[in-house]
Structure formats: structure tokens, C-alpha cells
Amino acid sequence: DAQESRGLGDVYKRQIVNYINTETATQIILGILLSVVVAFSIGAAVQWVTRVLLSFNFDKKPIAYEIFFGGIALTALTYFIFIKGIKGTPFSGELYSFTNGRTLSKFLAENTLNIVLISFGLWTLISFVFSKLLKVNIYKITIIVGTFALALAFAGNDLVNFIGVPITALKSYEIWEASGLAPEALSMNFLSGKVDTPSILLFLAGMIMVATLWFSSKAKDVVKTSLDLSSQSATKERFQPNFLSRYFVRFAIGSSYALNYITPDKIKQKIDHQFIALNVKNIKAKDLPAFDLVRAAVNLMVAAVLISLATSMKLPLSTTYVTFMVAMGTSLADRAWGSESAVYRVAGVLNVIGGWFFTALIAFVAAGIVAFLLHINLEFMLPVLLTLSLIHI
């Protein structure tokens, strides 16, 4: 009997594991962790190369640098946002006169190289017109386009997460109502495929998100945390150092010494010269921007490209995590974390990352508790939980 009980227990354990789909959940968690590392690393690498080429005194560089930067940045945004992003839209499967009998998505996939080359030539020409003829700073144009691109990237990811569950619930109810079956007799197979979302609901959800970001004090606090941790100038540090932040800083300093030892002195001097920050006179430190136009453009460009690329490949990631970690990576590469502030900034980054996963754990436990309470007494608990939700809002 004991052996039979253990056998049944193993069966129940396997059923529970399959029921909560631990395999997919593990892939999502690992994907998010990987996206954090990749975003930080790529953000740091791109910013370091950009700063070495342009320095902090980028306004004094030959105008060809500005034009070339604009061509590359805007081409990258065009490809990853408008080409990769089209795959997730209803237009991707449509036929147009210029596609010669192929769907728009297939046409773009077959002409990728041509589109990239044409985009680079076009954006370089536009950058030349703005920089040379109109005397408009191309870094500002890149930031504007990058902001729009990042908004599209967020819309393709966070908007789906925001509206996906209620839309699926609505569609489930509509399908059940049309079937005429008892609730327990309805098969849920239809949820394995795509669920069409009315455009008007997408628009309304987007407006809710915009209003929340604009008016929410919590959203402003999140932005302030990111800006403080990535600021080029000294700020009031909000986080206290811990043993992990001290360990990471020591490791980074040791790695820096090792690289300096094998790097020729002339190369080190040239690189260090590029990282000399400009002294701004007659402006108080608190009124200075957190970083300059070059880093702002790199932040937006890299974050938008990574989010759009991962979304088009259907990889699990969080747009918030990626955007934040890109900003932290560019801060590290830009030497915004000095010898005195590094332990505070790293501690802040570790606190933010820890908060993400602690929040995920709380959400997991809370969802289980709510499901358990509804299972015990649906008629009583549903109005109670809805009332508590309304009070919290």
C-alpha cells in the first residue's frame, strides 16, 4: 500500500508540473534573465564604441561623423522597427501591387539587403540635408525617431501583455455563449491559436497606457530612478552599497587594471581623451541633463532594436528590463559610475533587478491564492475580490 501511495504521489506531482506548464515558465524566466545580460552588454559595447569615435565634444567633430551616425542609427531603426515590426501586423499577409503576387512579409524578407542599402543611402542623404543645409542637429532627429521606435516596440510587447488576458477572457465568453454548451463541457482548444483583437480595443488600451504614464506618480518615480542611476553628474544616491555591489566593483576594477596592463600607453591616452566630460559653466548641477544627446540616442536606438528583434523572433523578454539595462550598460561604458559612486549605482541596479523577481514571486503566490479562494466559493469570493480591487484602484 505504501509503495502504491508513493506511485500515486509521483503521478500527481507530474500532473501538477504539467498543469502549471513549468517547462514554458522556465523558458520564459531564463529568456528574461538572458535578455537582461544581453541588453546590458550590447548597450555598453555600442556606447563605448560610439563615445570613442565621437567623444563628449561631439559638436566639434567633422560633420561627416554626425551624418554617418545618423545614417547608421536611422537605418537600424527603420529595419528593425518598420520591417521586423510589420510581421506582427495584419498588413504582413496582404498582397500589394508592388509585391508581385507575394505577401508583404515575404516580399520584405526576400529584399532585406536591398532595403537596408536603400535605407542607409536615403537616411544618410537626409542626415546630410539636416546637418549641412538646415543646420539641424541630427542627434536630436535620431532621438525623436528613436522615441517613436521605442514606443512602437513597447506597443508590440507591453500592450499585448496588458490587453491579452482580458481580451482572451472576452473571446472565451463569446465562444462559450455561441456554443450553447455547459461551461464545463466547453473545450479550450481555441486558446492554442491566435486570438483576434478588435482595433478599437487596442486603441483604447493604448490611450489608457499613455494616460497612466503621463499622470502616474509611480511611473515618474521609476523614470527618476533610472535617470539617477545613469546620470553623468553627481546625484543624491538613493541606494546603500552591499557586499554584492562591492564585489562587482572590485571585479570591474581588477578587470580594468588587467586591460590597462596589456593596452599600449598611446592607445590608452587617446581613449581616455575621448572620455573627458565637458565642464558646463553657469548651470547648476541639479539643472544639468542626466546625459548628453549621444548617449540618449544610443539608449533609444539599442533598446528599440533589441525589443523589436526579440519580439519578431517571439523570444520572451520584458521591455522595461531591456530598456533599463541598456541605460545601465551605456552608463557604465560612459564612465558615469565613478570610483566613489560605483558601489551606490551598482547596488541600485541590483536592488531594481531583485525587485523585479520578488514582484514576480509575489504575483505567482497571489494568483494562486485568488484562484484557491474562487475555487472554494465562487459566488461569495468573486464580489469580495472585485470590491477589494476597486478599493485599491
Side-chain angles (χ1 to χ4, degrees), residues 268-286:
K268 285 191 297 185
Q269 291 174 1
K270 289 182 178 180
I271 292 175
D272 290 340
H273 180 73
Q274 298 296 86
F275 284 88
I276 297 176
L278 300 178
N279 292 323
V280 182
K281 299 179 180 180
N282 302 324
I283 300 180
K284 296 181 180 178
K286 65 178 182 179

Side-chain angles (χ1 to χ4, degrees), residues 177-216:
E177 189 177 38
S179 67
L181 299 173
E184 62 274 10
L186 179 66
S187 173
M188 304 300 287
N189 289 334
F190 67 92
L191 292 178
S192 61
K194 292 184 178 180
V195 178
D196 294 330
T197 304
S199 299
I200 184 63
L201 293 181
L202 284 173
F203 175 78
L204 292 175
M207 290 299 99
I208 292 173
M209 292 182 68
V210 170
T212 303
L213 291 172
W214 188 269
F215 296 105
S216 173

Side-chain angles (χ1 to χ4, degrees), residues 156-174:
N157 192 286
D158 284 75
L159 183 59
V160 175
N161 295 335
F162 171 55
I163 202 173
V165 174
I167 289 297
T168 303
L170 176 62
K171 290 293 183 180
S172 300
Y173 175 78
E174 291 176 349

Side-chain angles (χ1 to χ4, degrees), residues 39 42-43 46 77 297-307 322 326 330:
I42 294 181
V46 173
L77 293 172
V298 171
N299 282 342
L300 292 167
M301 179 181 65
V302 175
V305 166
L306 289 178
I307 293 169
V322 170
V326 167
T330 58

Side-chain angles (χ1 to χ4, degrees), residues 225-231 239 324 328 331 337 345 348-349 352:
T225 299
S226 299
L227 292 176
D228 287 344
L229 291 175
S230 60
S231 177
F239 300 93
F324 177 80
M328 296 305 102
S331 303
W337 299 351
R345 303 282 178 94
V349 174
V352 171

Side-chain angles (χ1 to χ4, degrees), residues 13-71:
K13 288 179 182 178
R14 287 195 296 269
Q15 289 178 344
I16 292 174
V17 169
N18 292 331
Y19 180 74
I20 63 177
N21 204 356
T22 54
E23 183 178 354
T24 301
T26 302
Q27 290 178 354
I28 292 174
I29 293 172
L30 292 177
I32 291 175
L33 282 171
L34 181 62
S35 70
V36 167
V37 176
V38 170
F40 183 86
S41 303
I42 294 181
V46 173
Q47 178 61 33
W48 188 86
V49 172
T50 304
R51 188 62 74 188
V52 167
L53 294 175
L54 297 177
S55 78
F56 281 93
N57 199 19
F58 54 90
D59 286 336
K60 304 299 182 182
K61 292 289 181 180
I63 199 168
Y65 283 60
E66 186 175 334
I67 295 171
F68 188 68
F69 178 86

Side-chain angles (χ1 to χ4, degrees), residues 123-369:
W123 284 119
T124 303
L125 178 61
I126 293 174
S127 299
F128 173 80
V129 171
F130 275 98
S131 301
K132 187 71 173 179
L133 303 181
L134 301 180
K135 305 299 181 182
V136 176
N137 193 320
I138 198 62
Y139 301 109
K140 294 181 180 180
I141 302 297
T142 305
I143 290 172
I144 293 173
V145 176
T147 302
F148 178 71
L150 190 60
L152 286 177
F154 268 81
N157 192 286
D158 284 75
L159 183 59
V160 175
N161 295 335
F162 171 55
I163 202 173
V165 174
I167 289 297
T168 303
L170 176 62
K171 290 293 183 180
S172 300
Y173 175 78
E174 291 176 349
I175 291 173
W176 167 75
E177 189 177 38
S179 67
L181 299 173
E184 62 274 10
L186 179 66
S187 173
M188 304 300 287
N189 289 334
F190 67 92
L191 292 178
S192 61
K194 292 184 178 180
V195 178
D196 294 330
T197 304
S199 299
I200 184 63
L201 293 181
L202 284 173
F203 175 78
L204 292 175
M207 290 299 99
I208 292 173
M209 292 182 68
V210 170
T212 303
L213 291 172
W214 188 269
F215 296 105
S216 173
S217 59
K218 294 180 180 179
K220 295 177 181 178
D221 289 339
V222 171
V223 174
K224 188 177 187 306
T225 299
S226 299
L227 292 176
D228 287 344
L229 291 175
S230 60
S231 177
Q232 195 73 34
S233 57
T235 61
K236 183 179 180 181
E237 304 296 346
R238 301 171 56 185
F239 300 93
Q240 294 300 316
N242 51 54
F243 76 97
L244 278 177
S245 67
R246 292 190 180 96
Y247 172 79
F248 281 121
V249 171
R250 290 196 196 102
F251 177 78
I253 292 175
S255 301
S256 176
Y257 285 150
L259 288 174
N260 284 334
Y261 182 77
I262 62 175
T263 305
D265 291 337
K266 289 185 178 180
I267 295 178
K268 285 191 297 185
Q269 291 174 1
K270 289 182 178 180
I271 292 175
D272 290 340
H273 180 73
Q274 298 296 86
F275 284 88
I276 297 176
L278 300 178
N279 292 323
V280 182
K281 299 179 180 180
N282 302 324
I283 300 180
K284 296 181 180 178
K286 65 178 182 179
D287 296 327
L288 289 172
F291 37 80
D292 62 6
L293 294 175
V294 169
R295 178 136 65 100
V298 171
N299 282 342
L300 292 167
M301 179 181 65
V302 175
V305 166
L306 289 178
I307 293 169
S308 301
L309 179 60
T311 301
S312 68
M313 297 173 65
K314 299 182 179 179
L315 298 176
L317 85 162
S318 166
T319 50
T320 304
Y321 297 179
V322 170
T323 305
F324 177 80
M325 293 309 298
V326 167
M328 296 305 102
T330 58
S331 303
L332 175 65
D334 230 8
R335 302 185 181 181
W337 299 351
S339 56
E340 296 182 359
S341 63
V343 288
Y344 298 96
R345 303 282 178 94
V346 174
V349 174
L350 293 175
N351 273 277
V352 171
I353 295 175
W356 293 340
F357 290 97
F358 185 65
T359 303
L361 179 61
I362 292 176
F364 178 83
V365 174
I369 293 173

